[in-house]
Amino acid sequence: MTVKEESQQQIDPNALTVVPLGHPWRLAAVVLVIVGVLLIVRSAIFNPNFQWPVVATYLFNPLIMNGLGQTISLTFIVMVLAIVGGTIAALMMLSPSKLLSIPAKAFVWLFRGAPALVQLVLWYNLSLVIKNFSLWVPGYGTVFSVSTNDVMTPMVAAVVALSLHESGYMAEIVRGGLKSVSPGQGEAAACLGMNPGLSLRRIILPQAMRMIIPPTGNETINLLKTTSLVSIIAVGDLLYSAQSIYARTFETMPLLLVVTFWYLAVVSVMSIGQYYLERYYSRDETRHQGGALAFAWRNVFRFRKNEVVA
Amino acid sequence: MNAVATHHNRFGIAPSTMVHAAGIRKSYGNLEVLKGVDLTVPVGSVACIIGPSGSGKSTFLRCINHLEEINGGLLLVDGDFVGYRLEGNKLHELPPSAICKRRAEIGMVFQQFNLFPHMTVLENLIEAPIRVRKEPIAKATARATALLQRVGLADKRDAFPKQLSGGQQQRVAIARALAMNPKVLLFDEPTSALDPELVGEVLEVMKDLAKEGITMIVVTHEIGFAREVADQLIFMDGGVVVESGHPREMIASPKSPRTKEFLARVL
């Protein structure tokens, strides 16, 4: 009976307030994390072995700058070659002819499957199995011949190995992107008299881009870091330059911190570039509010699931 | 004009015929979808094709502009082959670029609209005239604007397809097809993907086109539209034309029992 009496209590809708659900464990976890971060920061600042002043002196060291330049240009060259190679492989994989699609699939299987480091060392040591590159025309003889050791410099080996490895990944990304475009789009283009090349360039690829750009951005960032592997075959990249300095001075930790700083700096710049590229290729989607940084910043202070901090 | 005239003479088909199909056969593997379809569509007339799903009507429509290759029969649009070149008694397959040139004269409107989502409405309309016909941008834009006016969407020229309703998208798709000045327009169930309240606006546009004398072949489920607009009604079932004739007469008194049964179900 009491229940019934209670339920008949008069409710004034304007006087109602909501008591939000507390999240005590989430709060405890946040406190724990903040304490942990403070401890790490404190150790980084007050432990003299980090040698921050040494880090500062080497940050813009010409040798380091040169290595950074090598790393960036290697990433750029490899990525351009991988996009071209990957696109060709993707188009071959989508070909109705098995004689084109099977070799392309084998290419992806081989170069994506073998570890980048192994491929680097393999290409660098190519002269062990192939002594010379020569062009021989029947009835004329050898047109030219070069020693493999002269061609396969560390830089060339790095470009070849990483391009092939990355092409394998790009092929899958491009193929996925092309397949994501509805077949009706190609038919509509064909019905307007567009030939297959024009249709691919103007209709299919721009739509596939929306699916291709985000993973390609991730791949480029991964590749930037993967290029540090080339230090093992003595290409003068960022890591190799740092190693060559600390091999003399034994300032191992500060130089690795310099290397870390530069990798993080370039990755951050790339991430911002990727944000704007993605926004461009989804320009028909809902308009984005504010810039990349503003968006990221707003999200940091989200504590509850569906709460949007204005 | 001379070349066109000789083509007509060569195949013995009247110059007033836009689409001539005789004994069209089409199979997917072992499944024969079209088992000898005959159809003649005169210039300036409207033909409506009706029939149950799986009757082959959409496949036949896609054969007309060579989206599907036929396995047998004679199919001529405006007096010539679309995908082939006749030499002696051999049909040589044309390269894609030549087929595209022929296809540009045959407009097509799809059930799913297939507008280019990454382009604005205006860009959708001027893309093919600029890239395929090499028209100057100003000229293509002027005509596109006029076409949008005609389908009642002049204010949407800078919108993206996603921002339009289904009916508006389909009207843009019709305008896009018209931008290439096609000799014949093919409609593949143009209102089947639309919400019922949006069907009317698309049919209105199509009725206007019919009045202007554009040759149209329409695969549709809209019997009312067929009765009002079509010059000939074609009922297809099981990969053949079961019955064809004047729409009003055919709907009032179908000769074949299969037509009678189908009409009883849809009317």
Side-chain angles (χ1 to χ4, degrees):
Chain A
M1 289 314 280
T2 43
V3 176
K4 201 164 187 191
E5 277 160 28
E6 265 176 22
S7 70
Q8 280 172 345
Q9 157 200 358
Q10 286 295 313
I11 292 173
D12 175 11
N14 296 322
L16 291 176
T17 50
V18 175
V19 181
L21 178 65
H23 294 282
W25 287 109
R26 202 177 289 173
L27 195 67
V30 168
V31 170
L32 213 63
V33 167
I34 290 175
V35 169
V37 168
L38 285 177
L39 284 174
I40 292 170
V41 169
R42 196 190 70 103
S43 137
I45 293 174
F46 294 109
N47 184 335
N49 294 332
F50 278 104
Q51 304 181 57
W52 291 107
V54 182
V55 172
T57 52
Y58 279 113
L59 208 51
F60 294 98
N61 179 291
L63 207 58
I64 294 290
M65 287 295 103
N66 185 44
L68 179 64
Q70 288 266 17
T71 290
I72 292 174
S73 51
L74 185 62
T75 305
F76 181 78
I77 294 167
V78 168
M79 207 57 206
V80 168
L81 290 175
I83 288 171
V84 173
T87 306
I88 293 170
L91 291 173
M92 284 171 70
M93 281 198 280
L94 292 172
S95 163
S97 166
K98 288 263 182 291
L99 289 176
L100 287 176
S101 66
I102 290 175
K105 280 174 190 152
F107 169 86
V108 170
W109 171 80
L110 182 65
F111 289 104
R112 204 177 55 159
L117 182 58
V118 175
Q119 293 191 49
L120 268 173
V121 183
L122 266 172
W123 282 102
Y124 186 54
N125 290 306
L126 189 68
S127 61
L128 294 179
V129 280
I130 300 169
K131 300 274 177 242
N132 293 297
F133 286 112
S134 32
L135 181 64
W136 184 79
V137 178
Y140 180 83
T142 305
V143 180
F144 78 89
S145 178
V146 283
S147 151
T148 303
N149 272 332
D150 293 342
V151 179
M152 220 23 98
T153 62
M155 189 63 175
V156 171
V159 168
V160 170
L162 292 180
S163 299
L164 289 171
H165 183 63
E166 202 55 42
S167 290
Y169 282 101
M170 284 311 299
E172 281 299 322
I173 289 171
V174 173
R175 189 180 71 107
L178 290 175
K179 284 195 79 169
S180 75
V181 180
S182 115
Q185 292 291 312
E187 285 183 358
C191 287
L192 289 166
M194 300 173 84
N195 63 44
L198 188 61
S199 163
L200 184 70
R201 213 174 64 238
R202 295 285 307 170
I203 307 300
I204 310 295
L205 269 182
Q207 292 181 60
M209 278 306 188
R210 213 179 298 167
M211 299 298 289
I212 292 173
I213 290 289
T216 302
N218 291 339
E219 274 307 312
T220 313
I221 288 169
N222 272 338
L223 176 64
L224 177 86
K225 294 176 283 177
T226 305
T227 57
S228 62
L229 294 178
V230 301
S231 57
I232 208 153
I233 56 170
V235 176
D237 78 321
L238 184 54
L239 178 58
Y240 187 80
S241 307
Q243 285 172 333
S244 66
I245 296 173
Y246 70 64
R248 275 187 286 111
T249 65
F250 298 106
E251 291 157 323
T252 310
M253 201 48 164
L255 275 152
L256 288 178
L257 288 173
V258 167
V259 168
T260 308
F261 170 84
W262 282 117
Y263 276 119
L264 286 175
V266 178
V267 165
S268 305
V269 170
M270 281 174 151
S271 303
I272 293 169
Q274 185 186 0
Y275 170 84
Y276 283 103
L277 212 57
E278 278 177 31
R279 196 166 71 157
Y280 173 79
Y281 276 105
S282 59
R283 65 190 178 115
D284 62 315
E285 304 280 335
T286 44
R287 303 280 166 210
H288 299 245
Q289 295 295 315
L293 288 174
F295 179 75
W297 194 240
R298 251 181 285 143
N299 272 303
V300 168
F301 294 107
R302 260 173 56 167
F303 191 57
R304 292 159 65 95
K305 223 178 188 174
N306 295 317
E307 186 182 33
V308 178
V309 178
Chain B
M1 280 316 283
N2 263 338
V4 174
T6 42
H7 281 157
H8 288 303
N9 292 340
R10 191 165 57 162
F11 304 117
I13 289 158
S16 60
T17 299
M18 180 53 75
V19 174
H20 174 89
I24 305 304
R25 286 187 293 105
K26 167 77 188 169
S27 310
Y28 295 108
N30 289 327
L31 181 71
E32 193 167 41
V33 186
L34 300 178
K35 300 169 180 167
V37 176
D38 301 307
L39 177 69
T40 302
V41 181
V43 172
S45 76
V46 177
C48 282
I49 305 176
I50 57 170
S53 52
S55 59
K57 51 193 194 313
S58 283
T59 306
F60 174 64
L61 199 72
R62 293 161 60 83
C63 286
I64 295 176
N65 63 359
H66 205 70
L67 278 182
E68 306 282 350
E69 271 176 60
I70 59 174
N71 303 118
L74 182 67
L75 184 47
L76 304 172
V77 177
D78 196 28
D80 206 351
F81 295 96
V82 176
Y84 307 94
R85 181 169 44 85
L86 185 71
E87 247 172 57
N89 55 4
K90 282 206 177 98
L91 282 179
H92 295 265
E93 227 178 288
L94 288 175
S97 58
I99 297 178
C100 286
K101 205 169 263 177
R102 286 285 285 148
R103 266 208 205 106
E105 302 171 338
I106 307 169
M108 186 153 187
V109 176
F110 299 86
Q111 185 179 347
Q112 299 297 342
F113 329 133
N114 291 343
L115 291 178
F116 305 136
H118 58 303
M119 295 180 177
T120 64
V121 165
L122 181 69
E123 286 167 344
N124 263 278
L125 261 68
I126 63 175
E127 177 69 14
I130 290 173
R131 305 272 164 183
V132 177
R133 291 264 163 81
K134 313 283 179 208
E135 281 179 22
I137 294 177
K139 188 185 159 198
T141 306
R143 219 190 41 259
T145 311
L147 283 168
L148 285 175
Q149 197 102 46
R150 197 158 135 194
V151 298
L153 291 171
D155 55 327
K156 301 287 185 193
R157 52 172 264 167
D158 296 319
F160 283 99
K162 193 173 283 176
Q163 298 160 331
L164 304 181
S165 74
Q168 291 172 330
Q169 289 192 48
Q170 193 61 298
R171 279 145 68 198
V172 171
I174 293 173
R176 181 177 69 175
L178 288 171
M180 290 298 276
N181 273 329
K183 291 174 177 164
V184 52
L185 260 183
L186 311 177
F187 291 84
D188 188 5
E189 305 199 18
T191 57
S192 297
L194 296 177
D195 290 339
E197 77 270 21
L198 303 176
V199 169
E201 60 186 71
V202 173
L203 293 181
E204 273 318 306
V205 169
M206 290 168 66
K207 278 178 206 167
D208 286 344
L209 297 180
K211 272 182 218 148
E212 287 165 38
I214 292 174
T215 314
M216 290 162 48
I217 304 177
V218 186
V219 169
T220 185
H221 293 295
E222 298 289 331
I223 305 290
F225 170 81
R227 175 162 43 198
E228 189 182 337
V229 179
D231 297 296
Q232 64 171 320
L233 184 62
I234 297 105
F235 173 64
M236 278 182 73
D237 194 11
V240 291
V241 173
V242 175
E243 187 174 351
S244 71
H246 192 273
R248 248 169 272 248
E249 289 164 18
M250 208 171 121
I251 293 166
S253 52
K255 290 189 188 75
S256 154
R258 276 151 86 189
T259 317
K260 201 175 287 177
E261 195 193 325
F262 176 77
L263 285 172
R265 260 186 288 131
V266 294
L267 280 177

